[in-house]
């Protein structure tokens, strides 16, 4: 075992022991894999961790975080020995699992197994798209690899199957995955629950598979990486046979090293066994020198800068566009473009389903956002997520539309990876009900404070005959409760366009855009109301001296307005509030919130979803017309009547409230 790899082992052992918490087995078992990749192959610059054409490295088995933190420290990133000593401590740069935004050099938040793998597939796809679009005349300004470390757990998770299948189909040849094949998980030897032939599985996906590599033999690992890089037509899986906790005096190869500190006695015995005669957290100067990547990184960075200077001289317009996209900046004319589109919406007065209004909005955005990358989980004709100039991405060609197949979780995790890569602005769609399959990737986007867009159509019992398996009830409310998530449920064409504009403008918040299957009427608004849509909630139809407030979203706004008119005929004045995005409304100042929802007036909320969510707006004395059971299979009109979503029922409940 080399001293370079042992530096990773002992930093990992010491930090985990000091924290009295962590996972030493994987960092120790993958130390040689990391040594070879980071010292011989990885294109990066510690002084410029966000350099555009760097290779991306993803530690999918994020519990091995001390491997990554050790690498960042040793190669010269802004991770000090004191940071390593603060492993797993409050607000440190070295949290228990790698977290995007906390530590320079961490490309994505990993921990939920398999998602880092799927993120990496998204990163490799973004590289393919950008390379196809921007590279010219051997001036390949986009030309990097995505490397991933995965363990047995990652490959057990279903999301890895989804993403690996699509990666092979799309021929993502610059994706290289090193599999830490140690056959140990928390419960012990995996033979009893994970005994499939992984190599054959990935071969069937269309990958190049390099088998039976000794994961502790640096020359064998290097040869495998050379072979992987020589085939740019297929993604590559390198199966590295390793020993979990390699080097540990008595616990190597057992599940005892997976998720607990080794203990002082075991660490001391390991120091003797590996002839590591240094104190905890002490690394000899010569080993630091061999690991340090700053000089090499500076040359790599400058080479790309020189290349980009040539590119800019020859293709100034494309160069400026590339920089804009990689910086996640919007075009200068974006705001005016949206305002013009809103005016057109108001002039057309279309009575269409909001899923169709969404498609129209996508077309508007695509006119000024060439970075927009659409996609659907095999529901394009239902989600309406393609547009006139959308081009399907294929194995040998780029484009701007991804057919994800029936892979909702993989799609969402890949979109996160594409967003993290930067340069593209991805969105993906499915039915709202199947947001459940993608749920953890949505949560990860919110946790990472990134801005992918998730489109969900068929938003309620309004999809009718498909029945309760496809009718969402609790989904809208639970999506709203994800911290740092924006959830829009617009009621017509104008709100749909504003929802899309807000999602695109968001920089640190993902968005869920929820659209109807059924047609909804266009609603007239004055200029102030048009402006107030972006505040999440507003009075869409005021009354003088109202006696009550009706709050509604999506398709239920139409019912609220009709109920308002019927009540007015009976000399009962109510105002109607449209609340397309509660997450944004909740961040408005108290004065605005009180203006929209006066404290002294009784309130009733109407939404075809669970009722409890709306109690914070209507109070215990208010009323919610919602659904607290599952749906039924029947025509939509019949279901709305059965569940009380009728004008007459709203009118009756308002009267009861008064």
């Amino acid at each position: 075992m080399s001293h370079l790899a042992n530096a990773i082992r002992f930093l990992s052992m010491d930090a985990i022991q000091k924290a009295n918490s962590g996972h030493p087995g994987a960092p120790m078992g993958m130390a040689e894999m990391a040594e070879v990749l980071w010292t011989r192959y990885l294109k990066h610059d510690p002084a410029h961790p966000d350099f555009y054409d760097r290779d991306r490295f993803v530690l999918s088995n994020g519990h091995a975080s001390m491997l990554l933190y050790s690498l960042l420290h040793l190669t010269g990133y802004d991770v000090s020995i004191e940071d390593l000593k603060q492993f797993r401590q409050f607000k440190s740069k070295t949290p228990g699992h790698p977290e995007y935004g906390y530590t320079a050099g961490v490309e994505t938040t990993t921990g939920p197994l398999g998602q880092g793998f799927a993120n990496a597939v998204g990163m490799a796809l973004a590289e393919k798209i950008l390379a196809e679009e921007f590279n010219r005349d051997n001036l390949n300004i986009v030309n990097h690899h995505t490397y991933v470390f995965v363990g047995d757990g990652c490959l057990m998770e279903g999301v890895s199957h989804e993403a690996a299948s699509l990666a092979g189909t799309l021929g993502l040849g610059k994706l290289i995955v090193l599999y830490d094949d140690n056959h140990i998980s928390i419960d012990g030897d995996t033979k009893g629950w994970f005994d499939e032939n992984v190599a054959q599985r990935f071969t069937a996906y269309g990958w190049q598979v390099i088998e039976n590599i000794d994961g502790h033999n640096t020359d064998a690992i290097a040869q495998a990486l050379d072979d992987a890089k020589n085939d740019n037509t297929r993604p590559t899986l390198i199966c590295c046979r390793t020993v979990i906790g390699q080097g540990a005096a008595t616990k190597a190869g057992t599940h005892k090293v997976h998720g607990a500190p080794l203990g002082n006695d075991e660490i001391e015995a390991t120091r003797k066994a590996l002839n590591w005669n240094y104190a905890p957290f002490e690394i000899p100067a010569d080993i630091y020198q061999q690991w340090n990547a700053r000089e090499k990184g500076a040359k790599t960075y400058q080479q790309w800068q020189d290349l980009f200077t040539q590119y800019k001289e020859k293709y100034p317009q494309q160069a400026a566009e590339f920089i804009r996209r990689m910086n996640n900046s919007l075009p200068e004319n974006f705001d005016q473009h949206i305002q013009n589109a809103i005016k057109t919406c108001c002039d057309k007065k279309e009575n269409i389903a909001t899923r169709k209004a969404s498609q129209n909005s996508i077309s508007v955005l695509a006119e000024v956002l060439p970075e927009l990358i659409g996609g659907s989980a095999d529901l394009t004709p239902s989600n309406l997520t393609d547009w006139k100039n959308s081009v399907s991405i294929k194995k040998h060609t780029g484009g701007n539309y991804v057919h994800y197949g029936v892979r909702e979780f993989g799609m969402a995790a890949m979109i996160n990876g594409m967003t993290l890569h930067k340069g593209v602005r991805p969105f993906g769609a499915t039915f709202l009900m199947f947001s459940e399959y993608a749920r953890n990737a949505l949560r990860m986007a919110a946790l990472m404070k990134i801005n992918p867009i998730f489109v969900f159509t068929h938003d309620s019992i309004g999809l009718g005959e498909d029945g309760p398996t496809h009718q969402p009830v609790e989904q809208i409310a639970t999506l709203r409760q994800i911290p740092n998530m924006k959830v829009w449920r617009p009621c017509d064409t104008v709100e749909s366009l504003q929802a899309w504009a807000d999602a695109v403008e968001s920089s640190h918040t993902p968005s869920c855009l929820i659209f109807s299957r059924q047609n909804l009427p266009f609603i007239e608004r004055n200029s102030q109301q048009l402006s107030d849509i972006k505040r999440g909630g507003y009075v869409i139809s005021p009354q003088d001296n109202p006696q009550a407030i009706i709050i509604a979203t999506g398709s239920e706004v139409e019912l609220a307005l009709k109920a308002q008119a019927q009540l007015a005929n009976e000399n009962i004045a109510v105002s109607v509030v449209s609340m397309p995005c509660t997450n944004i409304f909740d961040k408005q100042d108290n004065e605005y919130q009180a203006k929209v929802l006066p404290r002294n007036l009784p309130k009733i909320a109407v939404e075809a979803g669970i009722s409890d969510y709306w109690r914070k707006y209507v109070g215990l004395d208010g009323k919610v017309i919602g659904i607290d059971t599952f749906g039924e299979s029947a025509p939509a009109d019949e279901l709305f009547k059965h569940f009380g979503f009728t004008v007459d029922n709203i009118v009756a409940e308002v009267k009861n409230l008064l």
Side-chain angles (χ1 to χ4, degrees):
M1 285 178 278
S2 77
H3 286 305
L4 294 186
N6 285 342
I8 295 173
R9 290 190 170 95
F10 284 101
L11 285 175
S12 298
M13 280 187 272
D14 293 339
I16 291 166
Q17 188 63 33
K18 185 175 187 302
N20 196 30
S21 173
H23 301 76
M28 296 173 72
M30 295 190 292
E32 279 83 12
M33 294 158 57
E35 174 197 337
V36 174
L37 177 62
W38 279 65
T39 61
R40 305 190 201 179
Y41 292 90
L42 196 70
K43 181 171 70 171
H44 67 122
D45 179 10
H48 298 92
D50 294 327
F51 136 59
Y52 298 144
D53 199 40
R54 69 191 182 280
D55 289 336
R56 270 60 170 180
F57 174 76
V58 174
L59 183 68
S60 185
N61 43 347
H63 57 271
S65 56
M66 268 310 304
L67 173 81
L68 180 52
Y69 300 146
S70 298
L71 288 166
L72 295 173
H73 169 71
L74 291 166
T75 55
Y77 284 78
D78 184 20
V79 178
S80 69
I81 202 73
E82 290 303 315
D83 291 324
L84 299 187
K85 291 179 180 180
Q86 292 301 307
F87 179 56
R88 290 191 161 219
Q89 304 309 301
F90 185 60
K91 295 295 184 182
S92 76
K93 288 183 182 178
T94 51
H97 290 79
E99 293 189 38
Y100 177 74
Y102 275 68
T103 316
V106 172
E107 299 283 4
T108 181
T109 299
T110 55
L113 294 176
Q115 282 197 68
F117 177 98
N119 293 164
V121 174
M123 293 175 186
L125 178 56
E127 194 273 349
K128 170 187 170 74
I129 293 168
L130 291 168
E132 289 275 355
E133 181 174 359
F134 284 100
N135 290 349
R136 301 276 197 287
D137 302 332
N138 292 320
L139 296 173
N140 296 331
I141 61 171
V142 182
N143 184 23
H144 54 266
H145 286 78
T146 301
Y147 295 99
V148 196
F149 280 9
V150 302
D152 291 305
C154 291
L155 298 188
M156 288 186 229
E157 287 286 359
V159 69
S160 74
H161 296 247
E162 294 182 20
S165 172
L166 191 55
T169 300
L170 294 176
L172 300 180
K174 290 187 177 177
L175 174 65
I176 299 175
V177 178
L178 289 88
Y179 168 31
D180 178 32
D181 181 14
N182 60 39
H183 290 283
I184 295 290
S185 65
I186 293 176
D187 280 1
D189 192 314
T190 61
K191 189 172 180 62
W193 50 88
F194 185 56
D195 200 26
E196 68 198 46
N197 190 317
V198 171
Q200 288 184 7
R201 170 183 148 194
F202 275 78
T203 299
Y205 290 148
W207 288 53
Q208 173 185 209
V209 178
I210 302 173
E211 297 185 68
N212 301 317
I213 300 301
D214 180 350
H216 304 298
N217 182 322
T218 55
D219 290 337
I221 296 166
Q223 182 60 58
L225 284 166
D226 285 338
D227 292 342
K229 294 187 72 174
N230 285 335
D231 186 347
N232 278 334
T233 65
R234 299 175 291 173
T236 298
L237 179 74
I238 302 174
C239 300
C240 297
R241 195 70 177 93
T242 61
V243 176
I244 190 171
Q246 173 75 338
T250 67
K251 297 181 179 180
T254 72
H255 69 280
K256 294 179 181 179
V257 298
H258 172 83
L262 294 182
N264 289 322
D265 291 344
E266 180 78 1
I267 292 174
E268 284 307 309
T270 302
R271 277 189 160 81
K272 292 178 182 177
L274 298 183
N275 196 30
W276 188 263
N277 300 313
Y278 309 105
F281 296 102
E282 181 184 350
I283 302 295
D286 63 320
I287 293 179
Y288 268 130
Q289 184 177 1
Q290 292 176 72
W291 267 112
N292 195 309
R294 281 186 164 262
E295 182 178 348
K296 181 179 178 182
K299 291 179 180 177
T300 299
Y301 178 74
Q302 190 56 52
Q303 286 171 355
W304 185 85
Q305 291 289 347
D306 293 343
L307 178 69
F308 190 72
T309 297
Q310 296 176 51
Y311 184 90
K312 186 162 54 175
E313 289 173 354
K314 195 167 184 180
Y315 304 105
Q317 185 175 347
Q318 288 87 345
E321 177 68 6
F322 178 76
I323 294 295
R324 178 188 72 78
R325 292 200 212 171
M326 294 301 292
N327 289 340
N328 282 340
S329 300
L330 291 172
E332 291 182 3
N333 64 336
F334 182 79
D335 288 343
Q336 188 59 54
H337 186 73
I338 295 300
Q339 291 307 310
N340 293 341
I342 288 175
K343 183 179 183 303
T344 300
C345 269
C346 293
D347 291 341
K348 285 186 175 180
K349 300 179 172 58
E350 291 180 295
N351 300 326
I352 56 177
T354 53
R355 61 171 173 161
K356 179 60 179 175
S358 168
Q359 186 178 46
N360 294 344
S361 300
I362 294 168
S363 297
V364 166
L365 292 166
E367 292 173 2
V368 292
L369 296 176
E371 63 265 40
L372 203 64
I373 306 295
S376 173
D378 201 45
L379 288 168
T380 299
S382 295
N383 295 146
L384 301 182
T385 39
D386 56 353
W387 63 100
K388 181 180 179 181
N389 294 318
S390 59
V391 177
S392 298
I393 296 168
K394 302 292 186 183
K395 189 168 190 173
H396 301 295
T397 60
N400 56 12
Y401 196 84
V402 185
H403 294 279
Y404 287 98
V406 187
R407 302 182 180 97
E408 294 89 354
F409 193 0
M411 173 182 70
M414 285 177 61
I415 289 170
N416 286 349
M418 295 168 72
T419 303
L420 288 160
H421 181 281
K422 299 183 180 177
V424 294
R425 198 71 171 83
F427 69 87
T430 185
F431 289 166
L432 176 57
M433 188 66 248
F434 304 127
S435 65
E436 296 292 348
Y437 284 138
R439 176 67 62 131
N440 200 255
L442 271 61
R443 183 180 188 272
M444 293 296 285
L447 177 65
M448 288 190 278
K449 300 181 179 65
I450 58 176
N451 57 355
I453 300 171
F454 305 104
V455 177
F456 301 120
T457 69
H458 296 61
D459 65 347
S460 72
I461 56 171
L463 64 89
E465 293 87 344
D466 279 338
T469 60
H470 284 54
Q471 292 167 6
V473 172
E474 73 277 21
Q475 282 66 37
I476 298 175
T478 55
L479 288 172
R480 287 174 178 142
Q481 291 174 324
I482 298 174
N484 194 45
M485 178 69 77
K486 289 181 181 178
V487 179
W488 282 86
R489 188 179 183 232
C491 71
D492 71 350
T493 56
V494 174
E495 284 190 0
S496 297
L497 179 55
Q498 183 59 63
W500 264 106
D502 181 83
V504 168
E505 290 172 326
S506 291
S507 57
H508 297 96
T509 306
S511 299
C512 294
L513 307 183
I514 297 174
F515 300 112
S516 73
R517 176 194 188 190
Q518 69 273 30
N519 289 344
L520 301 178
F522 171 81
I523 300 169
E524 295 280 0
R525 297 169 181 82
N526 60 35
S527 59
Q528 186 60 56
Q529 289 169 324
L530 288 171
S531 177
D532 286 344
I533 295 173
K534 66 182 65 173
R535 304 188 75 165
Y538 62 105
V539 182
I540 194 168
S541 183
Q543 289 276 317
D544 293 333
N545 301 313
Q547 297 166 257
I549 303 292
I550 304 175
I551 311 167
T553 75
S555 54
E556 288 74 73
V557 172
E558 175 188 9
L559 294 175
L561 293 172
K562 289 180 177 178
Q564 178 193 46
Q566 187 166 315
L567 287 162
N569 290 335
E570 301 179 36
N571 295 317
I572 299 173
V574 299
S575 291
V576 175
V577 169
S578 176
M579 189 82 78
C581 186
T582 62
N583 311 97
I584 295 176
F585 180 77
D586 289 348
K587 293 182 178 180
Q588 303 305 305
D589 59 68
N590 290 337
E591 182 181 357
Y592 181 78
Q593 290 182 350
K595 179 182 175 183
V596 174
L597 300 176
R599 307 285 190 257
N600 61 328
L601 292 180
K603 301 171 188 69
I604 181 171
V606 186
E607 184 174 64
I610 59 172
S611 61
D612 279 357
Y613 180 84
W614 292 98
R615 287 293 167 192
K616 66 178 179 177
Y617 300 111
V618 305
L620 294 177
D621 295 328
K623 174 67 180 177
V624 181
I625 298 176
I627 301 177
D628 294 312
T629 66
F630 294 117
E632 299 283 350
S633 180
D637 291 345
E638 187 175 337
L639 290 175
F640 278 120
K641 183 177 180 180
H642 171 75
F643 285 105
F645 293 95
T646 65
V647 173
D648 288 343
N649 188 47
I650 298 173
V651 167
E653 293 293 354
V654 170
K655 290 179 178 178
N656 290 337
L657 201 59
L658 297 175

